[in-house]
Amino acid sequence: LATLVVPLMAGIWMADQAAFGWWWVAMTVAALMGMVLTSRSAWGTAVCRMALWLGLGVMLSELHQPLRQPSHYTHLAQPDSRYRLEVVSPPQTTRKGQKMEAKVLLVDGVSATGKVMLFVDGKGPLRFGRVLEAQSRLVLPSGSENPYQFDYARYLRHKKITHQMFLHEGDWRLCDTMMGGIRCRAMA
């Protein structure tokens, strides 16, 4: 059991730490299956079996990446899309305003999944659990430009966040959750 579970978990961990393309997974699985079928030694078969489970772990992790889901907001977004967002982390104060994680609920009225890092100018009434409606462009986070520098894009990817959204006054409005649904106020 350990010879199956350990490589599977290692493959899942590896896929979470690095970006693997589907070509790597498909090639690994095809090569390993051929090696397992033609291997004559017990040691060779065991090594190939462990490598196969490692590749399956990577594949399993890749299949469950939120970005690969058809309902992920990146597949629905247009440059002028309207988003309904729910704040899912306590806002942190920055020099220009607030920074927080937000879950995407709707894109142009269509149900969506995924998270964005939200930057809001000024000190607003936003707090954990609040719902807001916004119209803004999605921005890819920048990665590290120097070796051994902190990689903000990788940090966000590890938190399953692929984009940032910068909101200025007038770009968003607060919504109230009520028994019958969600009602949005006038633009902030």
Side-chain angles (χ1 to χ4, degrees):
L1 184 64
T3 59
L4 301 179
V5 174
V6 171
L8 183 69
M9 297 305 290
I12 293 170
W13 179 81
M14 283 173 49
D16 279 346
Q17 299 304 315
F20 288 103
W22 282 103
W23 63 268
W24 184 88
V25 177
M27 189 174 71
T28 300
V29 171
L32 292 174
M33 289 187 75
M35 290 170 61
V36 168
L37 293 174
T38 60
S39 179
R40 299 209 190 283
S41 70
W43 183 82
T45 302
V47 168
C48 291
R49 189 176 297 131
M50 286 179 65
L52 177 66
W53 282 100
L54 182 77
L56 289 174
V58 171
M59 244 180 25
L60 188 66
S61 181
E62 285 290 319
L63 283 172
H64 287 90
Q65 289 295 327
L67 189 57
R68 299 221 185 273
Q69 304 302 322
S71 62
H72 196 268
Y73 66 89
T74 54
H75 303 298
L76 304 168
Q78 300 294 322
D80 59 343
S81 289
R82 284 188 100 43
Y83 301 89
R84 184 163 294 161
L85 309 162
E86 179 183 359
V87 177
V88 293
S89 72
Q92 300 171 358
T93 302
T94 64
R95 287 186 314 222
K96 296 181 180 180
Q98 296 178 320
K99 165 183 149 179
M100 65 210 79
E101 292 178 28
K103 180 170 67 170
V104 179
L105 303 173
L106 298 172
V107 176
D108 293 328
V110 178
S111 183
T113 60
K115 292 193 307 185
V116 294
M117 184 58 74
L118 193 60
F119 294 89
V120 180
D121 281 348
K123 304 235 185 286
L126 295 175
R127 63 180 184 273
F128 181 83
R130 295 303 298 257
V131 176
L132 64 132
E133 205 168 81
Q135 187 167 3
S136 182
R137 290 183 179 265
L138 296 173
V139 179
L140 288 170
S142 60
S144 66
E145 297 177 11
N146 299 320
Y148 310 111
Q149 180 184 7
F150 176 70
D151 189 344
Y152 186 63
R154 184 175 181 199
Y155 167 75
L156 289 180
R157 259 194 329 270
H158 184 69
K159 297 178 82 166
K160 308 286 190 242
I161 298 173
T162 56
H163 288 79
Q164 303 174 107
M165 191 180 285
F166 296 89
L167 300 179
H168 307 286
E169 195 170 328
D171 290 346
W172 62 279
R173 59 184 172 177
L174 206 51
C175 300
D176 293 322
T177 53
M178 303 178 313
M179 292 287 273
I182 296 176
R183 181 178 58 88
C184 295
R185 299 178 187 172
M187 293 301 256

